[in-house]
């Protein structure tokens, strides 16, 4: 499921960013405790560093974080089919007459799907980083946009499973495009 050069590079990047966020959170936590005179979890000074530790852990363990959120949304089906593009057939009748699209079109669609999946993985990581910024109160980041990035990233990275779910919901497998 989750192999390939792009995902490996993204995992290494997230590991490094996770370690940097952990150190940044340690520094902010020590500064907050010096200014406030003690540890009180109700103070807003501690919200940013604590969420920073959680996000650092999620980034360091990106494959497990990804699989957990992925299987929460798609059950176990998407874990096996994240790169399971088998071609497109255009169906003209609900009964099953299919006209193959051709090898050139399938190769083009595979590249498009891989690009969309990479964008989905990047959106997922961006959503995690937006949660950290929203907890710190910096910038225009909010929890709503962060959750939208995470959910949208999972849907984009599981494009085949997303199309299958939409087809089953809207037209019960009698759609024009069978993926």
């Amino acid at each position: 499921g989750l192999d390939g050069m792009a995902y490996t590079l993204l995992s290494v990047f997230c590991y490094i960013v996770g370690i940097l966020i952990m150190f940044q959170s340690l520094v902010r936590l020590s500064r907050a405790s010096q200014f406030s005179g003690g540890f009180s979890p109700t103070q807003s000074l501690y919200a940013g560093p604590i969420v920073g530790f959680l996000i650092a852990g999620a980034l360091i363990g990106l494959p497990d974080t990804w699989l957990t959120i992925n299987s929460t949304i798609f059950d176990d089906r998407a874990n096996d089919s994240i790169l399971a593009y088998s071609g497109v057939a255009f169906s003209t009748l609900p009964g099953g007459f299919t006209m193959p699209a051709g090898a050139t079109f399938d190769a083009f669609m595979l590249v498009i799907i891989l690009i969309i999946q990479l964008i989905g993985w990047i959106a997922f990581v961006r959503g995690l980083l937006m949660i950290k910024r929203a907890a710190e109160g910096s910038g225009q980041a909010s929890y709503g946009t962060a959750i939208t990035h995470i959910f949208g990233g999972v849907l984009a990275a599981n494009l085949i499973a997303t199309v299958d779910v939409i087809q089953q919901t809207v037209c019960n497998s009698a759609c024009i495009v069978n993926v």
Side-chain angles (χ1 to χ4, degrees):
L2 296 176
D3 49 354
M5 183 59 82
Y7 187 77
T8 303
L9 287 175
L10 187 64
S11 295
V12 169
F13 172 77
C14 288
Y15 188 82
I16 293 169
V17 170
I19 289 175
L20 292 175
I21 289 173
M22 188 184 329
F23 285 126
Q24 179 188 31
S25 296
L26 275 172
V27 169
R28 287 187 179 180
L29 191 62
S30 68
R31 285 183 187 164
S33 66
Q34 290 173 357
F35 289 128
S36 67
F39 182 74
S40 173
T42 59
Q43 293 177 346
S44 63
L45 290 174
Y46 296 105
I50 290 172
V51 171
F53 283 123
L54 294 173
I55 296 301
L59 289 173
I60 289 170
L62 181 69
D64 292 329
T65 304
W66 173 260
L67 289 176
T68 301
I69 294 177
N70 192 24
S71 63
T72 300
I73 294 174
F74 283 104
D75 199 19
D76 289 330
R77 184 176 56 152
N79 290 334
D80 297 331
S81 65
I82 189 167
L83 297 175
Y85 175 71
S86 61
V88 176
F90 290 95
S91 177
T92 56
L93 298 173
F97 174 73
T98 59
M99 180 179 67
T104 304
F105 183 74
D106 281 342
F108 172 75
M109 287 303 295
L110 181 62
V111 170
I112 296 297
I113 287 171
L114 290 175
I115 289 171
I116 291 172
Q117 287 177 341
L118 177 64
I119 291 170
W121 289 331
I122 292 170
F124 177 78
V125 171
R126 183 172 185 220
L128 291 176
L129 295 174
M130 288 174 81
I131 287 177
K132 178 187 167 293
R133 280 186 284 170
E136 292 173 349
S138 62
Q140 297 179 348
S142 69
Y143 291 110
T145 56
I147 298 299
T148 302
H149 272 81
I150 290 171
F151 187 70
V154 170
L155 291 178
N158 291 296
L159 187 61
I160 303 301
T162 302
V163 168
D164 287 343
V165 167
I166 292 171
Q167 280 185 324
Q168 291 294 325
T169 303
V170 174
C171 55
N172 198 16
S173 296
C175 290
I176 295 173
V177 178
N178 295 324
V179 180

